[in-house]
DNA sequence: GTTCTAGAAC
DNA sequence: GTTCTAGAAC
């Protein structure tokens, strides 16, 4: 029955040959507990986001362009497709079940920052219909479970939501702690994407799908990313990223 | 999404 | 002079 319900999983596996994934899912299915299945490798750099410059530039020999291999790599190896690769990598997977997988964000913008992704190849919220309602609810529930499973999470506040205009392909739910204590948080766009209306609450998205059958994103989203930096806890305006980051320390849990 | 860096801002 | 931001990346 799994094949009928999730034909895309089979397709994807055949394409990418991921034997690890197969055993992994079986294990989870047979276990069938509510607890989060942890299988995290603590090593760094998974190497999913290919820097367009790093590969050709490192080589002193001016490699020819337009080869079959490099052309194919362009489409699959493009940075915007990185999540599709990461989510298939067992070393990246924090949790998985029949419908979704959770990975750590490769460049976390807070102490805890996960992405919940469906196995179904849904490119973005634009492609979401009422048929995905239960899936979106499940993604939210799984996000909350990962939080509950995380040591020290009870001291932190979390938000779950989607970026109005995501850069990475494949729909992904951000689960992020509200400390925003991370060296990867570097610019205004990073801040505003999580701290303005650009961040669409998961619950609001679910409600929208429930009532309208689709997700509509208001106009003016790109402009939100350029708004002045404002503290999400006390609304104070800060003149620069370094000063914002210094200010945020005040609100860290004690 | 990130890196890199010119030149604006301080 | 140094810090910081913002736009290009073929």
């Amino acid at each position: 029955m799994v094949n009928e319900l999730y034909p895309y999983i089979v397709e994807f596996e055949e394409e990418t040959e991921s034997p690890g994934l197969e055993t992994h899912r079986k294990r989870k299915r047979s276990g069938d507990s509510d607890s989060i299945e942890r299988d995290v490798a603590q090593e760094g750099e998974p190497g999913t986001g290919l820097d367009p410059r790093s590969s050709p530039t490192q080589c002193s020999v001016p490699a020819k362009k337009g080869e079959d291999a490099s052309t194919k790599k362009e489409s699959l190896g493009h940075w915007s497709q990185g999540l599709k690769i990461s989510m298939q990598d067992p070393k990246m997977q924090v949790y998985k079940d029949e419908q979704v997988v959770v990975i750590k964000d490769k460049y976390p913008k807070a102490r805890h920052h996960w992405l919940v992704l469906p196995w179904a190849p849904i490119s973005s919220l634009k492609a979401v219909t009422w048929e995905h309602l239960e899936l979106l609810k499940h993604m939210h529930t799984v996000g909350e479970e990962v939080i509950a499973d995380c040591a020290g999470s009870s001291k932190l506040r979390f938000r779950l939501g989607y970026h109005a205009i995501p850069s990475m392909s494949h729909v992904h739910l951000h689960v992020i702690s509200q400390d925003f204590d991370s060296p990867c948080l570097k610019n205004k766009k990073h801040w505003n994407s999580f701290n303005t209306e650009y961040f669409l609450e998961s619950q609001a998205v679910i409600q929208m799908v429930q009532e309208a059958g689709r997700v509509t994103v208001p106009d003016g989203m790109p402009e939100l990313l350029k708004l002045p930096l404002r503290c999400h806890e006390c609304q104070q305006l800060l003149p620069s990223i370094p000063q914002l980051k210094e200010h945020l320390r005040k609100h860290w849990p004690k």
Side-chain angles (χ1 to χ4, degrees), chain A residues 8 84 117-129 131-132 135-136 139 168-172:
Chain A
Y8 37 82
K84 299 186 202 304
L117 305 107
W119 290 117
I122 305 166
S123 59
S124 78
L125 289 180
K126 290 181 184 172
V128 165
T129 72
E131 295 185 339
H132 301 114
L135 176 60
L136 294 180
M139 289 168 66
M168 306 287 282
S169 185
H170 203 106
V171 72
H172 52 284

Side-chain angles (χ1 to χ4, degrees), chain A residues 9 25 28 95-101 119 138 142:
Chain A
I9 292 179
R25 194 188 306 114
K28 173 63 180 175
Y95 166 97
K96 79 168 71 171
D97 62 24
E98 293 84 353
Q99 297 177 83
V100 305
V101 61
W119 290 117
H138 183 63
V142 166

